[in-house]
Amino acid sequence: MAVARALQAAGGALRRNPSIVGVVLAFMLAQLPVQFAQLLGPTAAVAASGVTVVLSLVLVPFVFAGMLGMAAEALDGTTSLGTFVAAGKRHYTSMLGAYGLLLVGAVVFGIVSSILFAVVSVGVFAPLASGGALNPSTFGIVAPVVLVAFVLLWFLPLFFVQFYGQAIVLDGAGALGGFKRSVGVVRRNLLSVFGYSVVVFIAGLVLGLLTSIPSTLISAQRLPAATFPDLPLSLLAGLAVAGNVLMALFGSLFLVFSVAFYRSLDRPGDADGPESLQSAVA
């Protein structure tokens, strides 16, 4: 099974190259001040979040490209920080463009879903405004339709473009070309990609719930003591670091896993495609 083989290859690559975990962990620990800014009040929290958003727009494309470059090289043997820097620099423009397209898509989705929700709400709850009663059968029909529409509008596009980064770094595609290539690869490997996506979704859901505990506890410190007891700052810091370490370990694994799985997919034209990653980071 392609998913199992890719996961096994990812585990071996990480054992040979623990530096990948170190890079991911360093990037995550750099975001800790944002979590603890909540303790200083709403103004500090908003300011920290704003700075984080700006830095993310600038740095995430570089980090993502660099990490994918390291993951690809680690699967073939050993990798280094030099590969991280070289891949980040080489593919930064394309990755930044792709990141921008994703943000535009997210904004469009937000607008469309808001309009859809407003139209459905008016249609379903209009009888209440005129003194009537809500028809349960109407609600029972409309609710599933809205849910399906949400899935189609959000998850289906993400399902097809999820390998845009791998296409950019491994295949040398541009920003738009990365999305096109990802769509083509997924279309040729629908069953395999679906299985991979289910594994990633379940693992991500479980990991997200576990690692959200520290940030939830930090946010709860702003509640009255009668509602939630004050916890020592040292305990909160320890939990936050532990959560980031856990996220770095599994995040690194699934990053390399995504590259190993992408390599295993049917990707016609590779032999005639752009220069290899090895020459790109040399």
Side-chain angles (χ1 to χ4, degrees):
M1 186 178 179
V3 171
R5 289 195 299 269
L7 194 56
Q8 185 179 14
L14 276 187
R15 285 193 295 270
R16 293 191 304 270
N17 301 273
S19 59
I20 295 178
V21 180
V23 173
V24 175
L25 180 58
F27 180 70
M28 297 187 67
L29 290 179
Q31 303 175 58
L32 276 181
V34 179
Q35 295 184 30
F36 285 94
Q38 301 176 52
L39 300 178
L40 301 178
T43 303
V46 171
S49 298
V51 171
T52 301
V53 169
V54 174
L55 290 178
S56 296
L57 291 173
V58 176
L59 295 179
V60 167
F62 180 89
V63 174
F64 188 35
M67 291 306 305
L68 288 173
M70 288 187 75
E73 192 173 63
L75 288 166
D76 295 326
T78 58
T79 188
S80 66
L81 290 177
T83 297
F84 172 79
V85 175
K89 289 170 61 177
R90 180 177 181 83
H91 302 288
Y92 179 76
T93 302
S94 296
M95 198 68 79
L96 181 63
Y99 200 57
L101 290 174
L102 282 177
L103 290 177
V104 171
V107 171
V108 171
F109 168 77
I111 294 174
V112 172
S113 59
S114 297
I115 294 174
L116 178 64
F117 179 77
V119 171
V120 171
S121 297
V122 170
V124 173
F125 296 103
L128 296 177
S130 58
L134 179 64
N135 190 333
S137 60
T138 301
F139 183 79
I141 295 173
V142 172
V145 172
V146 172
L147 179 61
V148 170
F150 178 84
V151 171
L152 291 177
L153 284 171
W154 182 248
F155 288 104
L156 195 59
L158 289 180
F159 175 76
F160 280 96
V161 304
Q162 62 181 302
F163 297 112
Y164 76 92
Q166 288 81 352
I168 289 173
V169 176
L170 274 69
D171 301 333
L176 188 58
F179 289 113
K180 290 181 177 179
R181 190 168 180 85
S182 178
V183 171
V185 169
V186 173
R187 286 178 59 190
R188 288 189 293 270
N189 304 272
L190 278 175
L191 188 59
S192 295
V193 174
F194 179 76
Y196 162 85
S197 300
V198 170
V199 170
V200 172
F201 176 79
I202 294 176
L205 185 63
V206 174
L207 183 61
L209 290 174
L210 290 175
T211 56
S212 66
I213 294 175
S215 60
T216 302
L217 291 176
I218 294 172
S219 299
Q221 297 307 296
R222 296 173 57 190
L223 298 175
T227 305
F228 194 90
D230 288 335
L231 297 176
L233 184 60
S234 58
L235 175 61
L236 293 174
L239 289 173
V241 171
N244 279 274
V245 170
L246 183 65
M247 181 68 81
L249 286 171
F250 283 92
S252 301
L253 176 63
F254 279 94
L255 177 81
V256 183
F257 172 45
S258 72
V259 174
F261 180 75
Y262 181 75
R263 280 182 164 186
S264 72
L265 297 177
D266 176 25
R267 292 151 56 206
D270 286 350
D272 299 322
E275 58 185 330
S276 66
L277 176 70
Q278 284 79 8
S279 62
V281 299

